[in-house]
Structures are given as C-alpha cells and as structure tokens.
C-alpha cells in the first residue's frame, strides 16, 4: 500500500493547523486518511532559554529575520524524504499556478516553510534548497494562510477527494482559461433567466458556448493568461470571424 499524500508544515504557530483544512472536502479527506498533515513548531529547534528564532537584519533595517541556524535545524529535524519538494511561502517567489499544483498533488507531498517577520536568512534558502512560492502580489503577516491555500488546492485533486472526477478538469485554469459562468435553478431569478442554450439538451452547443464564454472572460479579465493562449485556438474571444472577400455581399 502506498503512503498517502503528506504535507509537513514548519511554522511558529502550529495551532493554526489544520484550521480551514479540517473542514469540508479537505477535512473529510484528512479524517478518512486520504492525506496527512504534520504541523511542526520551528521554535522547538531554538537553542537558548528564550527560544529565540529571529534576529536583527544584517546591514540594518526594520523588523527581524528568521535565523538560518534555527530554521535549518527545524528542516533537518523533520527528516523528510529527498524526493519531497521543499517550499517556502514568500511574496517574492514564483507565482503558484494550477500546473504546479497538479505536479505537487501527483507527488508525495511537500514540506512547507511558513516565513514570518521580514523574511528568512538567505543562507538557509540556498543551503536547504527551498523553492520560493507566491500566491499573489501582496504581503501577508506570515506564510500560514498561503500554505493552507496551497495545501487545499492540492488535496482537492487527490484521488477520492472530489465527488466527480470531472470536477477537477472543468474549472478555471484547467486548460489555461477562466471558467465559464455557472447557472442552476430557479429558471428565472429577479427577471434574469438561465441562458436557453444551457437547457436545450444539445451538448455540443453547450460545450461550444462554454468555451466561448471562457475565452471571452479570460481575454477581458486576465490578458496575461490570454496572451499565452495560441492564436490558432478556436473561438478566440468568442468565435473567430473569417475575413470577407471583396466579392462577398
């Protein structure tokens, strides 16, 4: 029997976990043994009587920095297998994408370091091979919330977690596009009906409509994503029009 997917989190606030990961899909999967979570206290690797984990920045400046020796000791104490990714949640990291989430979900599960203060001593990032990952262009108080977002994104893709297999493939970013609009009953809500095509029973037309909607939304809201879609993609920003010949009416 293979070992379940496992997330090992290094944090100064282990009591924050499982938090939201203990409810809904992730929580049921955790209780059912489909994945495992280990929250380890970085402060347990401190060596002085005050359990100090940080110090002032070399070269001056505001705030404090997580010490390399303490964090390295915490990483080593976790004793994770070499094939498991080592991540550091950081606003300067590479943006997290659905493609990277799929990779992580297919693997054995990562070790995730949650930073605090002004950051982490660069020497432990380099010395322990930490991959810096960002969930957006903004700054949080610490990496814990970012780690939860990453873990939740992975867990929902694990076999047996979601009710329908298609749920993980027909959604935003699964093919580089934002998801199409969704509707359900009632048929008429505050004067707005469900689009007729969705209740037509014509699956081919529904699929075409959804693709066109996804492309239009992506082009309008996420031009950065849209720029990565090959120009030959069908239904770009709707349906591509064939230029009229001068002899056409």
């Amino acid at each position: 029997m293979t070992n379940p997917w496992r997330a090992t989190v290094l944090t100064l606030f282990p009591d924050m976990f499982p938090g939201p990961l203990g409810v809904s899909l992730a929580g049921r999967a955790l209780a059912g043994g489909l994945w495992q979570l280990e929250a380890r206290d970085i402060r347990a690797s401190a060596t002085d009587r005050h359990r100090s984990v940080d110090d002032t920045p070399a070269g001056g400046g505001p705030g404090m920095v997580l010490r390399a020796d303490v964090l390295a000791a915490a990483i080593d104490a976790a004793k994770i297998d070499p094939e498991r990714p080592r991540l550091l949640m950081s606003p300067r990291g590479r943006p997290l994408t659905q493609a990277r989430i799929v990779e992580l979900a297919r693997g054995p599960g990562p070790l995730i370091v949650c930073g605090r203060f002004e950051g982490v001593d660069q020497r432990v990032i380099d010395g322990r091979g930490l991959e810096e990952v960002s969930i957006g262009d903004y700054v949080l108080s610490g990496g814990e919330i970012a780690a939860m977002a990453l873990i939740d994104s992975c867990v929902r893709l694990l076999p047996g977690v979601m009710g329908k297999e298609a749920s993980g493939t027909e959604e935003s970013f699964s093919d580089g596009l934002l998801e199409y609009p969704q509707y359900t009953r009632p048929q008429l809500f505050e004067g707005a009906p469900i689009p007729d095509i969705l209740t037509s029973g014509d699956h081919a037309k529904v699929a075409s409509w959804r693709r066109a909607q996804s492309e239009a939304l992506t082009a309008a809201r996420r031009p950065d994503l849209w720029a990565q879609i090959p120009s030959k993609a069908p239904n770009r920003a709707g349906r591509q029009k064939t230029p009229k010949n001068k002899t056409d009416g």
Side-chain angles (χ1 to χ4, degrees), residues 60-209:
M64 304 292 277
V65 177
L66 273 173
R67 292 173 50 140
D69 55 347
V70 175
L71 184 54
I75 293 171
D76 296 344
K79 297 180 180 180
I80 67 166
D81 294 332
E83 68 269 19
R84 294 180 64 190
R86 299 182 175 195
L87 312 180
L88 169 64
M89 307 313 299
S90 166
R92 74 176 193 180
R94 182 174 298 174
L96 186 62
T97 65
Q98 187 65 17
R100 183 63 176 130
I101 287 294
V102 170
E103 292 177 354
L104 292 170
R106 289 174 176 169
L111 175 140
I112 306 174
V113 175
C114 300
R116 281 274 162 176
F117 315 120
E118 292 301 311
V120 172
D121 190 305
Q122 185 65 41
R123 292 170 295 178
V124 74
I125 298 175
D126 298 335
R128 294 301 183 272
L130 300 181
E131 173 191 344
E132 295 185 72
V133 177
S134 170
I135 63 166
D137 296 336
Y138 47 87
V139 179
L140 299 169
S141 299
E144 287 79 11
I145 293 175
M148 291 177 189
L150 184 149
I151 293 170
D152 182 80
S153 295
C154 290
V155 167
R156 63 191 300 276
L157 298 182
L158 299 178
V161 173
M162 285 195 288
K164 293 184 178 180
E165 186 176 349
S167 297
T169 57
E170 296 182 4
E171 57 188 8
S172 290
F173 312 116
S174 59
D175 59 357
L177 299 172
L178 300 182
E179 189 177 17
Y180 47 80
Q182 296 280 10
Y183 298 86
T184 188
R185 292 179 291 184
Q187 172 65 31
L188 189 67
F189 172 69
E190 295 184 348
I194 296 175
D196 290 338
I197 195 169
L198 296 180
T199 57
S200 67
D202 190 323
H203 298 298
K205 288 183 178 180
V206 169
S208 179
W209 180 89

